[in-house]
Structure formats: C-alpha cells, structure tokens
Amino acid sequence: MFATFLHRGMAAGLLAGLLCGFFAFFLGEPVVDGAIQVEEATAADHQMEASANHGHEEIFSRSTQKVGLLFATSLFGVTVGGIFGMVYAYFRSRLLSNSEWSRSLSLTSAAFFGVFLIPFLKYPANPPGVGSPETIGSRTTEYFAMVTLSLVVVVSTWYVARELRARGMSTPVRQLVVALGSVVVIGVLYSALPAGPDPGEFPAGLLWDFRLSSLGTQVIFWAGLGVIFGFLNERYARKAST
Amino acid sequence: MERSVSPKAISLGEIPWWSWLVLVLLLVVLFLALSASGDLLAPLIGKAAYATDYLHEFTHDGRHLLAIPCH
Ligand SMILES: [Zn+2]
C-alpha cells in the first residue's frame, strides 16, 4: 500500500509541479526579469561589488534558466509528491474525512500550511537582488528550520485536537483552545527565529509582485497535488469496489 | 461502496523498511536540486561543492519562485 501511494503521489506531484511551473513561467518570470534588471543596475552603481555579485548569473543564459524553471518545479513536484504519498499512506486511517478525495484535500491543506505558508509568513520569498550572498548559509538553515518547526506545529495541533475530542471536550471550546494554542506557538517561533534579509532599496511594488507570484505558484502546486492525488485514489477505489 | 468505513490503521512498526530509505533519498534529491550550491556547501565539503553550481543555476528561477532562499 505504501508503494501504491508513493507512485500515485509522485505522478500527482509531477503534474502539479508542471502546472505551477507554467503559472510561474507566465506570471512569475516577468517579475524575476524585472528584479534582475534592478539587481544589475544596483551592481553597476557599486562597481566594487559588481564583480562579486555578478558571477552568479552567468553559467546559463536567462532563457535556459526559464526552461530550468519548469524542470525545477517538476522535480520539486515528483519528490514532494512522493513524500506526501507515503505520509498519506500512514495518516489515511487516522483522518476524520471518510473518502479518499476529502482525505487528500485535508492532508494537502495541512501540508500547505506546514511546508509553505507558516514559513513563508516569517521568511517570504525573495527575488534576485534581495539578501547578500554571504548570508546564504544561515538563511538556508533558518528557512529549513522554520519548515521543520512548522511541520511539528501542524502535526502537534492535529494530535492535540484529536486527544481533546477523544476526552469529550465540546467543539467550540476545543476549536478555540487549539486555534489559540497554535497561534501562540507560531508567534513564539516567529519572534525567536532571526529576521529575514532587509530588502534595502529594492522597489517595494516589485517585491510585493514577486512574493505574490511565489505564493500563487505554491498555492497552485498544493491545490493541484490535492486534487490530482484525490482524483487518482477515488478512481482506483471505485474500480476496486466494482 | 465501503468508502465510509475507515481503512485499517498502520502502526509505526508496520511501515515497510524501504519507505524510510525512499524518504531519505527523496529528501536528498530535493535538497540537491533545490538548495545545494557551491557557496552553500563549500564551507562544509570544500571546492568540490562548486560542481553543484550547474544544477543550482539551471533551477535558479524555480528556487526563487518556490520561495526557497537562493543568493
Ligand atoms: Zn538566485
């Protein structure tokens, strides 16, 4: 059963990755191009830093990197989808939802919060030109630490809610306790972890557009994964029962 | 037809051994494809790390738009 859900997760993830890749290609790339122009103009102003910052972009042309975008989102999709499929195989029997379709949607929503949205609100996506290359090590560590901690928060929230339900706590009280508790924990995490990079003089409008297109890319990925994975499972479940 | 019946629960011990292996493998691929770069890994493994820069540059735009720290 783990193998079945692994395969379906990878297939659904690949499709969802392509889907969000096309979104990013048409809506995100113009913003990335704009950001790179700003980055180059800034580098030209500070001749000293120009050579240090510039080497980064030159192995591939911009048009090759745009093809690479689809490769990146597909690879992200296959691997994340595979992991999701195995997690689904484990949690399937523990979820309240009673069809493959709604289980798939509820688990992808939970994963969207844990893997993406909670970390994103603390460390939003940054276009080329924001953040100095010297800090990439600490920024990467902080980002993945935030992803891990958010996943812990999501899983514990779910676990606590399940325990409280089992003890017969009334629904309004339980939901308020769980919601407040998780908001407080997330707030503590946000203030405990170091701040993200300062965008400095990077144009605010362009930065907002970039973050919005990044948010859109991830929303499409997780929605696509939930829908395609749910659809695949429903189809096989129906076949098996006839 | 039996869809309202919840499937049988799997305990942690019942998870097939290979799925842990696959999990680690997928996480490594994910990291290599989306986050590894010469600048990131050079302090850990030295100059050899710069070999990952080709993949890093190819997946560059995807990384930025998926909100993963890049450069
Ligand atoms: Zn970059």
Side-chain angles (χ1 to χ4, degrees):
Chain A
M1 202 174 62
F2 267 68
T4 314
F5 287 119
L6 171 67
H7 295 153
R8 287 180 202 165
M10 289 175 91
L14 178 64
L15 283 172
L18 273 173
L19 208 65
C20 79
F22 283 119
F23 173 87
F25 185 86
F26 289 111
L27 282 101
E29 280 295 352
V31 190
V32 175
D33 285 337
I36 289 175
Q37 273 168 17
V38 171
E39 187 188 28
E40 281 169 355
T42 320
D45 284 348
H46 309 85
Q47 283 297 325
M48 301 294 283
E49 293 164 52
S51 55
N53 284 335
H54 211 68
H56 190 77
E57 241 72 47
E58 283 165 355
I59 301 180
F60 294 110
S61 68
R62 288 293 303 132
S63 47
T64 311
Q65 284 184 323
K66 288 176 186 175
V67 177
L69 164 73
L70 290 174
F71 173 78
T73 56
S74 310
L75 199 63
F76 173 82
V78 175
T79 48
V80 171
I83 297 169
F84 175 81
M86 293 195 294
V87 172
Y88 183 85
Y90 177 73
F91 278 103
R92 195 164 79 103
S93 59
R94 293 170 170 80
L95 300 175
L96 272 187
S97 335
N98 55 14
S99 73
E100 298 289 350
W101 172 258
S102 48
R103 275 185 210 120
S104 173
L105 292 189
S106 58
L107 202 63
T108 38
S109 325
F112 171 72
F113 272 87
V115 178
F116 178 72
L117 195 61
I118 299 175
F120 180 79
L121 294 177
K122 168 72 182 170
Y123 297 123
N126 280 317
V130 173
S132 92
E134 294 89 69
T135 58
I136 184 61
S138 56
R139 280 187 287 129
T140 304
T141 315
E142 286 152 19
Y143 185 74
F144 287 118
M146 190 65 220
V147 171
T148 312
L149 292 168
S150 319
L151 278 171
V152 171
V153 171
V154 168
V155 175
S156 351
T157 303
W158 169 81
Y159 185 79
V160 169
R162 204 172 73 136
E163 281 298 296
L164 294 180
R165 188 186 299 115
R167 290 185 194 179
M169 187 183 266
S170 78
T171 309
V173 177
R174 184 186 76 231
Q175 289 180 343
L176 278 175
V177 166
V178 169
L180 277 174
S182 49
V183 166
V184 168
V185 174
I186 293 168
V188 169
L189 280 183
Y190 281 178
S191 48
L193 279 146
D198 177 6
E201 279 159 30
F202 194 89
L206 195 58
L207 185 60
W208 175 253
D209 287 347
F210 178 81
R211 288 175 175 170
L212 211 52
S213 51
S214 170
L215 176 67
T217 305
Q218 286 273 3
V219 167
I220 289 179
F221 173 73
W222 290 102
L225 180 64
V227 165
I228 299 166
F229 188 78
F231 178 75
L232 281 177
N233 288 336
E234 280 290 323
R235 222 179 62 135
Y236 284 100
R238 216 166 298 148
K239 255 188 199 164
S241 66
T242 46
Chain B
M1 33 194 296
E2 303 281 318
R3 284 198 289 136
S4 57
V5 178
S6 232
K8 190 182 152 293
I10 302 162
S11 71
L12 276 176
E14 284 172 293
I15 295 175
W17 63 270
W18 55 261
S19 49
W20 298 106
L21 224 68
V22 174
L23 180 69
V24 172
L25 189 80
L26 289 174
L27 286 171
V28 170
V29 172
L30 197 59
F31 177 77
L32 282 180
L34 291 175
S35 221
S37 73
D39 289 339
L40 182 69
L41 295 176
L44 300 173
I45 59 171
K47 283 255 186 286
Y50 287 96
T52 59
D53 271 352
Y54 289 93
L55 195 56
H56 180 81
E57 284 306 309
F58 190 54
T59 57
H60 178 265
D61 291 18
R63 177 171 38 258
H64 276 283
L65 283 162
L66 288 167
I68 299 164
C70 172
H71 76 282

